[in-house]
Amino acid sequence: MISRNSIISCLKELEKDPKIYACWLEGADAHGRVDKYSDIDIWIDVEDNYVSKAFKKIEKLLENIGNIDYSFEKEHSHPKIRQRFYHLKGSSKFLIIDVCIEKHSRVFWYTSGYEDEKVSIIFDKTKVIKFKKLNKRKLKKDTEEKIKSLDRAGFGEPVSLSSRAMVLAPNGFFQVWVEKEINRNHFLQSFAAYQKYILIPLVELIRLRYTPTKSGYHLSGISKDNIPQPIIKQLEDLYKISSLEDIKKKMKKANKLFEEVRKGIK
């Protein structure tokens, strides 16, 4: 079976190309958390007009290992990044190859001190990969503002806590939207409102307390983050819903956890 190591090793060939400046890994490889379910998160920096040719070069290298049986390009949110997913026939179905190629003119850096911003460098010919120190003062200020927003939202004011979602405080005015759907015996609407108005902001608050540099990550990677296991177990229980009665009971548990976590934030 085709291994991840053989795929990663073939990337070293890209260093010979004068228009390809850097190649590195993020995700499980960068964090040392690789297991049999891990994909490969590859980043490549190239000359601005060389992105399409770089993809062709990567595909040729991959085809030297095995046949590409899946390829899909996803539109990236950044105008100077293109992203494609590949899979090789004969490799594990979980071994998805996620390739992001950025134009060299893109201005970016990683932040040292951010738990999620780790990389494993394959090569870097022009010092593309840069780290800046964590601005603890700014982080503290931003975290305080988000907490204040959550507190205000408790009186019913909608607040955007991150670019990922519009959320509302779980112990405030808008919780009646969950209750009214329960009273109408509408399970699907109740479940949706329970997630939107109770669970999402609860997770946001938990992250603000324990992982403030990842406050917008919601549940992504949360089991591996620096959050106490008793909190994780309570969250898991709150997400296990099979009836309207479950929602009604767990609303109260969620509110209690919200209050406990909020008291722990200075």
Side-chain angles (χ1 to χ4, degrees):
M1 182 175 284
I2 296 170
S3 69
R4 73 184 302 109
N5 287 338
S6 62
I7 295 170
I8 293 171
S9 293
C10 83
L11 298 172
K12 296 175 183 177
E13 287 294 314
L14 298 172
E15 189 172 5
K16 299 175 183 178
D17 192 318
K19 295 184 179 181
I20 298 179
Y21 303 115
C23 179
W24 66 98
L25 304 175
E26 292 187 353
D29 290 283
H31 285 82
R33 296 175 178 169
V34 172
D35 60 23
K36 63 181 180 180
Y37 305 113
S38 301
D39 59 1
I40 307 177
D41 297 301
I42 301 166
W43 280 81
I44 299 169
D45 181 275
V46 305
E47 194 170 291
D48 279 24
N49 61 359
Y50 199 66
V51 177
S52 294
K53 291 182 179 179
F55 271 120
K56 289 180 180 179
K57 194 149 194 172
I58 291 165
E59 289 167 4
K60 187 174 181 180
L61 289 172
L62 292 176
E63 286 169 348
N64 287 336
I65 301 172
N67 294 324
I68 297 173
D69 59 9
Y70 182 80
S71 174
F72 174 75
E73 180 157 353
K74 176 184 176 183
E75 184 176 355
H76 200 279
S77 58
H78 196 288
K80 293 192 176 184
I81 299 174
R82 283 175 59 187
Q83 182 177 22
R84 285 186 188 175
F85 297 90
Y86 299 98
H87 183 266
L88 297 181
K89 186 177 181 180
S91 67
S92 165
K93 66 180 181 180
F94 300 107
L95 193 53
I96 304 298
I97 306 165
D98 179 356
V99 181
C100 286
I101 299 183
E102 66 171 21
K103 294 181 179 181
H104 191 61
S105 61
R106 177 191 174 216
V107 178
F108 87 105
W109 59 84
Y110 292 99
T111 306
S112 57
Y114 271 62
E115 178 61 27
D116 205 55
E117 296 197 9
K118 292 183 179 179
V119 300
S120 176
I121 300 173
I122 296 175
F123 65 86
D124 186 357
K125 296 187 284 187
T126 58
K127 295 183 178 179
V128 168
I129 303 163
K130 302 180 182 70
F131 280 86
K132 289 188 177 183
K133 288 184 178 180
L134 174 64
N135 188 332
K136 293 183 179 180
R137 182 178 295 178
K138 184 177 184 301
L139 175 64
K140 187 174 185 294
K141 183 180 178 181
D142 290 346
T143 300
E144 288 173 350
E145 285 300 314
K146 289 176 181 179
I147 295 297
K148 288 178 183 178
S149 295
L150 265 177
D151 289 340
R152 289 196 303 270
F155 296 97
E157 177 188 348
V159 53
S160 178
L161 292 179
S162 71
S163 60
R164 300 172 73 88
M166 176 69 77
V167 298
L168 301 164
N171 58 346
F173 180 83
F174 285 88
Q175 214 169 77
V176 297
W177 288 355
V178 185
E179 294 176 9
K180 71 179 181 181
E181 296 301 343
I182 292 174
N183 294 335
R184 290 169 175 166
N185 289 316
H186 292 163
F187 175 76
L188 292 178
Q189 293 94 318
S190 299
F191 182 69
Y194 172 69
Q195 285 197 322
K196 183 175 182 180
Y197 302 124
I198 296 178
L199 295 183
I200 289 178
L202 173 58
V203 171
E204 191 91 27
L205 186 73
I206 289 169
R207 282 204 172 277
L208 284 168
R209 178 175 177 183
Y210 296 105
T211 60
T213 62
K214 299 177 70 175
S215 63
Y217 278 63
H218 194 50
L219 294 178
S220 179
I222 196 168
S223 297
K224 298 177 181 179
D225 288 330
N226 190 29
I227 296 173
Q229 279 303 303
I231 298 289
I232 295 295
K233 292 299 181 183
Q234 287 184 74
L235 273 180
E236 289 175 352
D237 178 65
L238 292 173
Y239 271 89
K240 294 174 182 176
I241 298 295
S242 61
S243 67
L244 289 170
E245 189 61 31
D246 280 347
I247 297 174
K248 192 182 297 185
K249 289 178 180 178
K250 292 184 179 182
M251 280 174 63
K252 296 178 181 178
K253 290 183 178 180
N255 284 334
K256 183 179 178 182
L257 180 57
F258 184 93
E259 290 170 4
E260 290 173 355
V261 174
R262 178 65 186 90
K263 287 178 183 177
I265 300 175
K266 297 178 181 180

